[in-house]
Structures are given as structure tokens and as C-alpha cells.
């Protein structure tokens, strides 16, 4: 998974080489730090991850945080969305699950 620098889109940055079969990606300021963080749902490793931007807008660096999840289905995370669901002024993650078959 890669993210490009602000506006020029010519210099990709690898932020993960371990996310398995990414199904959903969102760029948003998850932690209120004033920079873009990345949320990712990956299929093969059943993981939702938050990649915290520890750098800045022009020189981003990312730290991965796994978000605790529970699904009775292996290989199941698909679409994710982020919004303030409960009105407490911090971001909440909403994820859908499903299986093939």
C-alpha cells in the first residue's frame, strides 16, 4: 500500500508491505493531529489497521496500529468507514464483514 506526497503524486511512499489483499483504504485525520492518517482493511490477514502519520504533510512517516476486531468469519473485513457515530467529537470506525461462498 502506498501514499503519495501532497499534490505532486509522483513520489510514492510505502506504508506497509505486510497488509494482505487490501479491500478498503481511507485517508483522514484519525487522531486530530492535523495530518492525514491511513485506515486500511485487509482481507488475507483479517486486519483493520490505522497507520498513524508521525511525520508531516510533506514528509509523512507512518506507524501501524492494529485495531482490535472480532469476526466469526476468517478473511472477512471489507468496507470500512470513519465518522463520529456517537457524537463525542472523536472518530469511530465502522466495518462490514462478509464471506465468499
Amino acid at each position: 500500500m502506498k501514499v503519495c506526497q501532497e499534490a505532486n503524486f509522483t513520489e510514492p511512499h510505502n506504508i506497509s508491505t505486510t497488509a494482505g489483499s487490501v479491500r478498503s483504504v481511507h485517508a483522514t485525520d484519525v487522531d486530530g493531529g492535523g495530518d492525514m492518517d491511513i485506515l486500511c482493511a485487509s482481507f488475507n490477514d483479517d486486519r483493520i489497521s490505522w497507520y498513524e502519520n508521525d511525520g508531516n504533510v510533506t514528509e509523512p512517516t507512518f506507524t501501524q496500529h492494529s485495531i482490535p476486531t472480532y469476526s466469526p468469519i476468517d478473511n472477512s473485513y471489507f468496507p470500512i468507514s470513519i465518522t463520529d457515530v456517537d457524537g463525542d467529537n472523536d472518530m469511530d470506525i465502522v466495518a462490514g464483514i462478509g464471506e465468499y461462498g
Side-chain angles (χ1 to χ4, degrees):
M1 184 171 49
K2 297 180 180 183
V3 63
C4 294
Q5 281 188 348
E6 179 183 85
N8 69 14
F9 299 106
T10 60
E11 297 294 327
H13 295 270
N14 286 323
I15 61 172
S16 176
T17 58
T18 60
S21 193
V22 173
R23 294 294 192 237
S24 185
V25 175
H26 289 275
T28 190
D29 186 3
V30 175
D31 59 358
D35 51 21
M36 286 294 160
D37 305 305
I38 307 293
L39 285 173
C40 167
S42 48
F43 181 79
N44 288 346
D45 56 1
D46 290 329
R47 187 181 337 191
I48 297 175
S49 296
W50 162 40
Y51 295 91
E52 179 182 11
N53 186 342
D54 298 330
N56 57 48
V57 173
T58 58
E59 294 182 26
T61 59
F62 295 92
T63 300
Q64 180 182 1
H65 303 275
S66 289
I67 297 171
T69 59
Y70 169 76
S71 172
I73 306 167
D74 288 338
N75 298 329
S76 59
Y77 291 102
F78 293 108
I80 55 173
S81 184
I82 184 163
T83 190
D84 183 6
V85 174
D86 55 4
D88 64 356
N89 293 322
D90 58 2
M91 302 309 271
D92 303 301
I93 298 167
V94 180
I97 63 171
E99 68 179 319
Y100 292 112

